[in-house]
Amino acid sequence: MESVDETKPAGTFEEAVRRSDAIRADLPQNPGRYRVLTGDRPTGPLHVGHYFGSLKNRVDLQALGVETFVVIADYQVLTDRDSVDAIADNVRGLVLDYLAVGLDPDQHKTNIFCHSHVPALNQLLVPFLTLVGMGELERNPTVKEEISAAGLTHVNAAMYTYPVHQAADILFCKGNVVPVGRDQLPHLELTRKIARRFNTRFCKKGPSVFREPDALLSAGTKILGLDGSQKMSKSRGNAIMLRATPDETAKLVKQAKTDAERQITYDPEGRPEVANLLLLIGLCTGEAPLAIAERLGDGCGGALKKALTEALNETLRPIRERRAKLEADSDAIVKRVLTQGSAAANQIGDVTLREMRRAMNMDYGL
Ligand code: TRP
């Protein structure tokens, strides 16, 4: 690969945190300066970890009046599984979950669309792949972790290139803010490099096509599953789905791991399981975990679980009610949301693709 003049030094974690803090402070004053791009892979229903980790933030950003694009990364599902049987159902479920938590394509500028329905987005991938080296892809720590976590014996090429696809997700709509957790920072750094390299290589004579997006880092509270030892996730069987019924929630919480001590204390190091349940109650009620522990006193695991069940069911009640209402006419609603979202994404993607072709000397006067 030709050596690209990197005009700025490689990003450090501290710089990313500094920029993220600056954006968080500026967002309420100047929502019009920002366009958020975020997304999920349609691999199953959303759970409480998703809600407190990202969905709630999206709804808050929406309330500030920030324009948001949400990509349902259906092509990305193909990176680590062969079957597509569940995709359509998962996409439908995801759209309903989004609407249930309060994302609102009608009243707000939130556009929900799938990879597979926005051709221009995917076309960005081809020139972008020429801007990264094989070594860079092979070294990506998040990809390496995912490969080992999924226990893949055959790794397809898209698994290595999906971070470049993610760059296309962000850059096709000129998103400048990407709400992410720490583990996604390497991907965002790659997106910044791709934007910079494209501008450096192809925009010598004209205006830059891309701006470098920034991460909006989440608070960093790690939400563990009901086993108290690993991140909450559907595949680990330790999650509470947003769409679960109150009874199912109670049953799941009853199975949560605690310990034999009567006294409830908040001690994330020494008693991670109990601390995680306290944290979950706090996320629902807004109380500090320490205060909840004091309130519950020597009520042992039973009181803790009862408090958590009540807190979760109370917090999720309006979400579940909204979802039940949507369910009545779900096919038409999902179709409308995706049609609207794809139209917005295609419109902006076609403009970006045209700018890109012009920069690459490929518009041929058409
Ligand atoms: N990789 C993300 C996930 O697995 C989903 C995603 C796809 C995404 N494209 C993105 C997230 C762009 C942020 C920005 O959940």
Side-chain angles (χ1 to χ4, degrees):
M1 200 169 96
E2 136 200 6
S3 78
V4 179
D5 173 32
E6 304 276 15
T7 48
K8 293 179 199 163
T12 63
F13 180 64
E14 289 71 25
E15 275 174 51
V17 172
R18 195 176 40 70
R19 289 195 308 262
S20 169
D21 288 345
I23 289 172
R24 197 180 304 284
D26 189 46
L27 269 164
Q29 271 92 44
N30 296 297
R33 277 192 195 156
Y34 301 99
R35 181 176 288 151
V36 168
L37 179 290
T38 173
D40 300 286
R41 295 188 300 152
T43 50
L46 295 176
H47 54 64
V48 167
H50 294 121
Y51 182 67
F52 290 117
S54 66
L55 297 167
K56 218 163 162 262
N57 291 333
R58 293 181 198 174
V59 176
D60 292 345
L61 286 166
Q62 178 185 266
L64 290 175
V66 182
E67 186 182 17
T68 302
F69 282 84
V70 182
V71 60
I72 298 183
D74 53 357
Y75 279 161
Q76 211 184 95
V77 176
L78 307 175
T79 57
D80 70 355
R81 63 203 76 194
D82 298 328
S83 170
V84 290
D85 293 349
I87 285 193
D89 279 343
N90 287 342
V91 167
R92 274 193 284 268
L94 201 52
V95 171
L96 294 176
D97 280 342
Y98 287 158
L99 299 179
V101 298
L103 291 180
D104 183 350
D106 291 321
Q107 306 301 318
H108 295 277
K109 293 173 264 178
T110 298
N111 306 295
I112 301 168
F113 63 95
C114 294
H115 269 153
S116 58
H117 281 61
V118 184
L121 183 164
N122 298 291
Q123 209 182 135
L124 261 55
L125 184 58
V126 179
F128 282 1
L129 284 170
T130 69
L131 297 171
V132 291
M134 285 298 283
E136 267 178 305
L137 297 180
E138 281 164 356
R139 279 193 304 271
N140 186 305
T142 308
V143 171
K144 281 204 262 184
E145 252 171 57
E146 278 165 0
I147 291 171
S148 79
L152 299 178
T153 44
H154 296 284
V155 184
N156 72 34
M159 177 54 116
Y160 286 103
T161 56
Y162 92 76
V164 186
H165 203 168
Q166 246 175 250
D169 295 342
I170 298 166
L171 296 178
F172 95 99
C173 66
K174 311 265 181 97
N176 59 351
V177 174
V178 187
V180 288
R182 276 179 83 134
D183 62 327
Q184 292 279 315
L185 269 183
H187 293 352
L188 198 73
E189 199 47 48
L190 182 68
T191 301
R192 292 170 60 83
K193 280 187 187 149
I194 289 172
R196 205 178 311 154
R197 289 173 186 171
F198 187 93
N199 293 338
T200 307
R201 184 175 297 175
F202 298 114
C203 308
K204 290 194 188 81
K205 295 187 196 132
S208 291
V209 174
F210 297 110
R211 51 185 180 181
E212 290 176 38
D214 285 308
L216 185 63
L217 288 163
S218 41
T221 16
K222 202 165 159 196
I223 300 158
L224 303 176
L226 293 173
D227 54 356
S229 58
Q230 305 182 83
K231 199 171 140 180
M232 188 179 284
S233 91
K234 180 171 152 272
S235 58
R236 295 187 182 113
N238 63 6
I240 295 173
M241 303 306 158
L242 298 181
R243 66 168 87 154
T245 64
D247 286 346
E248 285 165 354
T249 304
K251 208 183 266 169
L252 282 165
V253 171
K254 225 171 244 158
Q255 291 160 9
K257 212 172 149 215
T258 51
D259 54 35
E261 259 181 74
R262 270 198 80 78
Q263 188 72 26
I264 308 288
T265 55
Y266 184 61
D267 174 10
E269 294 278 306
R271 304 176 71 188
E273 296 93 356
V274 169
N276 183 52
L277 302 188
L278 287 166
L279 174 70
L280 280 169
I281 298 174
L283 286 167
C284 292
T285 64
E287 292 168 281
L290 210 60
I292 304 165
E294 275 168 23
R295 177 159 58 76
L296 294 173
D298 61 358
C300 34
L304 179 61
K305 289 179 178 180
K306 185 162 168 284
L308 177 57
T309 302
E310 278 169 15
L312 280 171
N313 282 338
E314 190 55 28
T315 300
L316 297 178
R317 189 164 43 83
I319 297 173
R320 290 164 172 168
E321 281 172 5
R322 218 172 303 150
R323 200 174 199 290
K325 268 195 216 132
L326 294 163
E327 208 72 70
D329 194 17
S330 65
D331 283 356
I333 291 170
V334 168
K335 188 174 167 188
R336 191 170 51 76
V337 166
L338 292 178
T339 304
Q340 225 169 283
S342 321
N346 276 304
Q347 196 178 14
I348 203 164
D350 288 346
V351 172
T352 304
L353 182 57
R354 224 173 301 135
E355 290 171 2
M356 232 175 128
R357 284 188 187 132
R358 203 168 303 138
M360 294 186 297
N361 202 21
M362 293 179 184
D363 72 352
Y364 314 125
L366 301 182

